[in-house]
Amino acid sequence: MTPAEKLLWQEVRAKKLGVRFRRQQIIAGFIVDFYCHKAALVVEVDGDIHDLQKEEDERREKVLREMGLRIVRFGNDEVVSRLSTVVAEKIRELLLPS
């Protein structure tokens, strides 16, 4: 895991948000950073490499969305500099029932 992924994992692991997240989960042949089955939510933490693979990321997201999953992406910098906002406002909001 990258340093940003490690930071985020410390905040979502062990049902700290009331649901279980798995890390490095394989779904449809893709490895996603974090996955919550109960909320059908994939959380990705993107580093600089993702600037070079936008088409692959779009194809991958299309497959995952067709499976009924929601995907949220955060940049490494965003996770490191605004961890509490990422967790408390964005991820927690996506976990609330619609």
Side-chain angles (χ1 to χ4, degrees):
M1 285 195 296
T2 66
E5 289 171 347
K6 287 178 185 175
L7 279 174
L8 186 55
W9 177 240
Q10 291 306 312
E11 297 299 315
V12 302
R13 67 186 296 232
K15 290 191 175 182
K16 289 182 180 179
L17 296 177
V19 293
R20 181 172 184 234
F21 275 88
R22 295 181 185 138
R23 62 185 170 135
Q24 301 298 298
Q25 178 69 42
I26 298 172
I27 304 172
F30 302 111
I31 299 173
V32 301
D33 293 331
F34 304 104
Y35 173 62
C36 176
H37 177 76
K38 186 174 182 179
L41 179 64
V42 171
V43 178
E44 295 280 39
V45 180
D46 294 342
D48 294 337
I49 189 71
H50 290 275
D51 292 338
L52 304 173
Q53 62 183 43
K54 288 188 187 284
E55 286 179 20
E56 173 60 21
D57 285 346
E58 288 171 9
R59 185 181 72 78
R60 168 185 159 120
E61 277 195 29
K62 182 178 186 284
V63 170
L64 296 173
R65 288 186 198 284
E66 287 172 352
M67 295 176 63
L69 301 177
R70 297 175 299 154
I71 298 104
V72 62
R73 291 185 169 278
F74 301 103
N76 281 337
D77 294 340
E78 183 178 12
V79 171
V80 171
S81 65
R82 298 178 39 217
L83 181 62
S84 61
T85 301
V86 166
V87 173
E89 294 176 17
K90 297 183 178 179
I91 294 175
R92 190 177 302 268
E93 184 178 295
L94 289 167
L95 295 174
L96 296 174
S98 318

